[in-house]
Amino acid sequence: MSVAAVFALTILVGSVLMNNKAEQKDEASTAETAQYAATPESDAVEESAVAKDASTSNEAFQSNIVKEHERFLSLRSSVYEDDLTDAVAFRIGLAGRDAESVPMTYVIPNERVAADFEGEKPSTLQMYEKYAPQIDEEAKGFTDYHPYKGELKEEEDKLVHVLPKENDYDVATATENEYKGTLEDTFSDSEYTELEIQNEDGTPYEFSQEGTPSLAMSLTGPKHFNYYLYKDENGGEYLSPDFRQTFSTVTEALSQMKNKNDDVYIPAVPENITYTVKEETAGVVVTFDLPLDLTAMEAVRATQLIEAMMLTAASFDQQLRLDNVIQESWEGFDLTNYLPKPVGPNKQYMEEESKK
């Protein structure tokens, strides 16, 4: 959320609370006047009960406002199971300016999905066909990429993408990698086990840079990435794998998160912070060499550090624990225990209407 939006929300919250207090004051004045006019004792008891109910209602109202305010101001950027109590996650890979996919996780309320699909449970492909065209990618600093050209179809437990003869996915190695990366970010961890890329006659598509018919892409299992910071053209920041480099172990992935490998992705872990990594039965433990004071960093940078490590551990289907941190909690995370596994990176909310 932008600074201006946060400021506006803060003013709105303050205004609502002030108006609520004014209403409470008016109710108190009315009750006070009635006390002088009324003589039966029962009237006084009734007035007291009304005032108490009003006070309780006011406290509940203020509590809800504060909770909503805190939700908007949270520095967390990933999606967790708590975010999906009454919603579903829609994943999609957006094409960045550097011919690379950046994974996004949209939180869509159950009631909206029920309305859009008339109460039926949609498949991942149906979700994609419905919601991908509604994303204004260019407004977010990405390439206008979705929906895919050609035909996407389901065949039992696999997905097939039939490419037209002329397409923008086979121009160079970079565009091919971008295309496959967006497919992986969009359809992995779904009901489909694999994705085949075909010609219009049903034969396997042959990418010009490879010279051989393409093999089916696996859509199951963790991908073993580590996460870095990516900035879009509008200055937005996202946590994303560094050009989809994979690692054989979670220890290797976490240990190399400080390395700056290129000019596109920025390490989420500052160079001066050192640590060791240990794999245990319950998960993976990162122990900082010196006590880590999160308040010594910008709050958003500290949160990005934590979530980047959490996402890296989650890519190996493991939970993360951080040891030797001065703070016991941060942004709602209990740092004394294993942290929850993120459902997906880069939480987004779907616009009500398409701008495309």
Side-chain angles (χ1 to χ4, degrees), residues 197-214:
I197 305 170
Q198 297 180 355
N199 295 302
E200 293 173 337
D201 63 2
T203 58
Y205 187 87
E206 183 176 311
F207 285 91
S208 58
Q209 306 298 315
E210 296 179 357
T212 57
S214 60

Side-chain angles (χ1 to χ4, degrees), residues 15-176:
S15 175
V16 170
L17 295 179
M18 288 178 66
N19 289 338
N20 215 43
K21 287 181 179 179
E23 290 174 5
Q24 189 177 9
K25 182 178 180 181
D26 290 341
E27 291 171 358
S29 299
T30 302
E32 185 175 334
T33 303
Q35 182 180 0
Y36 286 109
T39 53
E41 185 175 344
S42 59
D43 286 356
V45 173
E46 185 177 351
E47 292 288 351
S48 176
V50 170
K52 183 176 181 180
D53 288 344
S55 176
T56 302
S57 176
N58 182 58
E59 289 176 1
F61 178 78
Q62 291 188 24
S63 177
N64 289 336
I65 287 290
V66 169
K67 286 180 180 177
E68 188 71 3
H69 192 211
E70 289 175 345
R71 184 177 74 83
F72 276 108
L73 294 179
S74 173
L75 295 177
R76 293 191 189 191
S77 66
S78 297
V79 173
Y80 300 90
E81 289 294 344
D82 289 348
D83 297 307
L84 303 178
T85 303
D86 298 305
V88 295
F90 167 62
R91 298 176 176 86
I92 189 168
L94 299 188
R97 67 183 184 277
D98 302 287
E100 185 61 19
S101 177
V102 178
M104 300 288 172
T105 310
Y106 280 81
V107 176
I108 306 178
N110 286 338
E111 60 182 18
R112 177 170 178 178
V113 175
D116 287 340
F117 295 95
E118 299 181 347
E120 298 292 327
K121 182 180 180 181
S123 67
T124 300
L125 177 56
Q126 289 173 320
M127 291 276 286
Y128 173 80
E129 291 173 336
K130 179 67 178 179
Y131 297 120
Q134 299 183 33
I135 300 173
D136 192 341
E137 298 156 87
E138 292 181 318
K140 299 181 71 64
F142 291 88
T143 304
D144 187 0
Y145 201 83
H146 295 280
Y148 292 110
K149 306 300 187 293
E151 179 190 7
L152 278 164
K153 57 184 180 180
E154 299 167 318
E155 291 185 357
E156 297 181 351
D157 64 345
K158 69 179 179 181
L159 200 61
V160 175
H161 190 192
V162 180
L163 288 181
K165 291 181 180 179
E166 300 296 328
N167 63 76
D168 297 330
Y169 312 129
D170 193 15
V171 177
T173 300
T175 58
E176 178 188 340

Side-chain angles (χ1 to χ4, degrees), residues 197-260:
I197 305 170
Q198 297 180 355
N199 295 302
E200 293 173 337
D201 63 2
T203 58
Y205 187 87
E206 183 176 311
F207 285 91
S208 58
Q209 306 298 315
E210 296 179 357
T212 57
S214 60
L215 301 176
M217 292 174 53
S218 174
L219 298 175
T220 60
K223 300 304 177 184
H224 299 172
F225 298 132
N226 61 12
Y227 280 74
Y228 279 64
L229 192 63
Y230 177 85
K231 292 189 178 183
D232 67 20
E233 292 183 344
N234 296 336
E237 298 183 347
Y238 305 95
L239 293 175
S240 180
D242 184 349
F243 285 107
R244 314 189 79 76
Q245 180 182 356
T246 59
F247 298 86
S248 57
T249 67
V250 66
T251 296
E252 181 186 13
L254 285 165
S255 297
Q256 295 190 27
M257 286 182 64
K258 298 198 311 173
N259 298 351
K260 183 170 175 56

Side-chain angles (χ1 to χ4, degrees), residues 184-201:
E184 190 174 71
D185 285 339
T186 303
F187 296 110
S188 288
D189 300 322
S190 65
E191 65 270 37
Y192 312 116
T193 59
E194 61 182 21
L195 186 147
E196 292 184 358
I197 305 170
Q198 297 180 355
N199 295 302
E200 293 173 337
D201 63 2

